[in-house]
Amino acid sequence: GEDVEQSLFLSVREGDSSVINCTYTDSSSTYLYWYKQEPGAGLQLLTYIFSNMDMKQDQRLTVLLNKKDKHLSLRIADTQTGDSAIYFCAEMDDSNSGYALNFGKGTSLLVT
Amino acid sequence: SAVISQKPSRDICQRGTSLTIQCQVDSQVTMMFWYRQQPGQSLTLIATANQGSEATYESGFVIDKFPISRPNLTFSTLTVSNMSPEDSSIYLCSSGQGGNTEAFFGQGTRLTVV
């Protein structure tokens, strides 16, 4: 299947910005997502971006998409201790996946 | 946004037994999916639950091990059959609407098999 890759760990200081990166291989990806998973909890949809966009901003969150390089990033401004969690990048190719998502392994963000 | 409730939220089961996980969505949805998240791992799609027909399973998952029901547009169940410790995972239900970009998840069912 298609791959979604993320770095496994990121540590930032409270108040700094966090940037979590993701690369994917499916050139037909239609939508790209960021989810947050806190310990013992399910997945919280943070934001998503359509593949014909290159940026989306939602309060402290900024998503950048470089479709040519198949690179997606999530920037969290003014990172707080409550942002400590695992962040999953996911892609959907609605042409053949039946709207199921393909996930990366997750980036564990630690805010100190 | 859709609200998805899963039951049970966690369970500890004996090997060889079966557990049925329920997933309830607060609105009618076209698509429902079941994922597995093994410890420290990402999510892997088990199957797509189709209303009125058999589920569509991904490679490595079979109906005998993971039977799925989808009796209507708001409800689905996943059964983990003849469990072994390797089945210890979080099982998550997800919903989606064809053409709608948002994909929501339940809180997951944390299964431990002893």
Side-chain angles (χ1 to χ4, degrees):
Chain A
E2 303 292 347
D3 289 331
V4 179
E5 300 285 342
Q6 299 177 240
S7 54
L8 293 182
F9 298 103
L10 177 66
S11 179
V12 299
R13 289 188 297 187
E14 190 173 14
D16 288 350
S17 292
S18 309
V19 179
I20 303 171
N21 294 302
C22 170
T23 59
Y24 59 97
T25 60
D26 186 356
S27 57
S28 300
S29 294
T30 313
Y31 302 103
L32 296 125
Y33 300 80
W34 285 104
Y35 287 87
K36 177 183 180 183
Q37 186 178 40
E38 295 181 84
L43 289 181
Q44 175 192 354
L45 175 62
L46 288 177
T47 187
Y48 63 92
I49 190 167
F50 188 45
S51 61
N52 70 352
M53 300 168 63
D54 51 21
M55 188 182 92
K56 182 177 181 180
Q57 186 155 2
D58 183 1
Q59 299 182 345
R60 292 191 297 123
L61 305 179
T62 303
V63 178
L64 295 178
L65 175 61
N66 182 327
K67 193 174 180 181
K68 174 175 168 291
D69 294 338
K70 300 190 187 69
H71 181 268
L72 182 74
S73 68
L74 174 70
R75 178 177 181 271
I76 306 172
D78 187 24
T79 313
Q80 304 297 306
T81 55
D83 295 324
S84 292
I86 300 175
Y87 290 81
F88 289 95
C89 169
E91 61 91 18
M92 179 207 292
D93 172 6
D94 67 358
S95 66
N96 65 20
S97 72
Y99 303 100
L101 302 186
N102 184 26
F103 284 83
K105 293 189 187 302
T107 299
S108 183
L109 173 65
L110 177 64
V111 183
T112 58
Chain B
S1 65
V3 177
I4 303 175
S5 302
Q6 277 185 243
K7 288 196 297 187
S9 58
R10 58 177 63 232
D11 208 341
I12 301 173
C13 300
Q14 297 289 325
R15 67 175 68 203
T17 63
S18 298
L19 175 71
T20 296
I21 303 167
Q22 298 179 4
C23 177
Q24 179 76 54
V25 189
D26 68 343
S27 57
Q28 292 188 340
V29 292
T30 311
M31 327 287 288
M32 293 183 76
F33 305 95
W34 287 98
Y35 291 83
R36 180 175 74 181
Q37 185 181 23
Q38 293 178 298
Q41 301 296 314
S42 185
L43 282 78
T44 301
L45 180 66
I46 297 172
T48 302
N50 302 309
Q51 196 264 331
S53 64
E54 269 194 8
T56 305
Y57 289 83
E58 297 299 303
S59 175
F61 298 97
V62 296
I63 188 171
D64 289 346
K65 176 66 176 177
F66 297 102
I68 287 170
S69 78
R70 177 94 192 268
N72 56 53
L73 292 174
T74 64
F75 186 78
S76 177
T77 68
L78 168 76
T79 298
V80 186
S81 302
N82 188 24
M83 287 183 283
S84 67
E86 292 70 35
D87 295 319
S88 297
S89 294
I90 301 172
Y91 292 85
L92 295 111
C93 169
S94 171
S95 74
Q97 290 278 48
N100 185 327
T101 57
E102 294 180 319
F104 297 100
F105 283 78
Q107 80 278 18
T109 296
R110 186 177 294 268
L111 171 63
T112 303
V113 183
V114 297

